[in-house]
Amino acid sequence: YSEFYCNACHQRMCGECRDEHQKHPDSSQHEVCRYEDRTLTVSSVPCKLHPRQQLTLCCKKCHQAICAFCTTKEHDGHGFLNLEEVYTKNYKTRIEEIRKIRDDMLPKSRLRLKESKDATLEAKGNVEILKNSMKEQANRIKVLVDDILTKHLQDLQRYEASTVEKLENQEKVMDSYVTRLQTLLEGYKHSISSSDPTEFLPEMSNTPIVDLDPIPEVNKESPRNFSAGKLNKDEISKQFGKLT
């Protein structure tokens, strides 16, 4: 199993080959690390300003891939970094952001969205239970409670409108948050789709790491109850019951 990697030779190797590689006089000074910690290689791309030279450095000031000639001309005095090291660092940072969103934040957000939808359905179900209880009570006293039934149904409708609207707005917030995470995830994936540093570095600038807001909390409304009263013609309003 080739779990090791020589950054100098750009070769994968197993533990036995690694030991032999580090003992050999020609490769004893090579940096050998675990495969996942390797320095990534970039494709060989000629410099646009100096076509005979390959891009091997990164300008610290301009954040551009440059060749050795550029260090003495257009980017003189800017400070330079190894292009492969810069590419590796940024690539791994972006991979970690993708993993964070894909494996942690997005699944949790989807779960919160489901909780929000369930809360909305629960509130609507509670309203239906209240409606049925009130209608059953109204059927027992028939005509005597027609006007009282109308009043209480109007109260219930106002409760339903305010409560469900609040929960549906909460659902929209969660849906918007999940959509934003999905969009950000696709943008991050796109930014690492090319190994060409002339394309990768501008993509990193165009899609900077976003400091994401915490996942919104999901709140549930406490269900209301209908207390049915004993039938009494003289006190029909009190006996019908009320929303609590």
Side-chain angles (χ1 to χ4, degrees):
Y1 178 64
S2 54
E3 59 179 322
F4 299 100
Y5 188 85
C6 176
N7 282 324
C9 301
H10 300 297
Q11 291 182 350
R12 296 183 68 164
M13 56 188 66
C14 65
E16 184 177 346
C17 290
R18 177 202 60 179
D19 295 339
E20 293 180 2
H21 196 68
Q22 292 182 321
K23 290 178 182 178
H24 196 282
D26 293 340
S27 56
S28 61
Q29 301 301 315
H30 288 188
E31 179 187 2
V32 179
C33 61
R34 297 187 67 83
Y35 182 76
E36 59 267 24
D37 298 327
R38 72 194 184 282
T39 299
L40 300 176
T41 58
V42 297
S43 56
S44 180
V45 179
C47 177
K48 292 182 179 180
L49 298 178
H50 313 102
R52 295 185 179 181
Q53 299 294 317
Q54 301 298 316
L55 299 175
T56 57
L57 301 171
C58 177
C59 176
K60 294 173 66 176
K61 181 178 179 180
C62 304
H63 303 289
Q64 293 179 352
I66 61 174
C67 71
F69 278 12
C70 291
T71 62
T72 61
K73 298 182 180 298
E74 295 82 359
H75 300 270
D76 185 24
H78 288 187
F80 315 104
L81 296 171
N82 181 277
L83 181 59
E84 288 187 344
E85 292 179 358
V86 173
Y87 175 76
T88 299
K89 178 181 178 181
N90 284 277
Y91 184 91
K92 290 182 176 180
T93 298
R94 185 50 54 88
I95 286 293
E96 286 305 312
E97 288 297 317
I98 289 174
R99 287 175 178 168
K100 179 181 178 182
I101 294 175
R102 181 193 63 202
D103 301 335
D104 182 37
M105 298 190 73
L106 191 55
K108 288 181 179 178
S109 297
R110 284 172 174 160
L111 181 59
R112 294 277 177 88
L113 176 58
K114 182 181 182 301
E115 291 175 356
S116 179
K117 291 180 178 179
D118 291 344
T120 302
L121 290 175
E122 184 178 342
K124 290 181 177 180
N126 175 247
V127 169
E128 290 302 314
I129 292 173
L130 295 176
K131 284 182 179 179
N132 292 334
S133 296
M134 294 172 68
K135 288 178 180 180
E136 287 174 3
Q137 186 73 344
N139 287 333
R140 294 187 182 101
I141 56 178
K142 299 181 186 281
V143 178
L144 297 176
V145 297
D146 284 347
D147 58 332
I148 300 174
L149 176 61
T150 300
K151 177 183 179 299
H152 282 74
L153 283 176
Q154 288 174 345
D155 292 340
L156 180 58
Q157 287 172 350
R158 284 193 289 270
Y159 163 73
E160 179 182 10
S162 62
T163 302
V164 173
E165 180 181 3
K166 185 188 300 182
L167 291 171
E168 287 178 339
N169 287 337
Q170 175 180 263
E171 183 179 328
K172 289 179 182 179
V173 171
M174 281 307 310
D175 187 68
S176 176
Y177 190 87
V178 169
T179 300
R180 184 187 177 204
L181 287 178
Q182 291 173 327
T183 301
L184 187 60
L185 179 62
E186 292 303 318
Y188 282 177
K189 286 181 179 179
H190 178 73
S191 70
I192 62 171
S193 61
S194 174
S195 62
D196 184 345
T198 60
E199 297 179 2
F200 178 78
L201 292 177
E203 282 291 338
M204 287 295 299
S205 299
N206 293 334
T207 57
I209 296 174
V210 177
D211 188 12
L212 295 170
D213 295 329
I215 300 174
E217 295 293 333
V218 172
N219 299 313
K220 294 184 179 181
E221 290 290 324
S222 299
R224 300 185 67 182
N225 297 301
F226 175 72
S227 301
K230 294 182 179 181
L231 299 179
N232 186 302
K233 184 176 180 180
D234 296 332
E235 299 181 354
I236 193 65
S237 178
K238 187 182 300 182
Q239 297 299 322
F240 181 82
K242 62 181 179 179
L243 285 169
T244 59

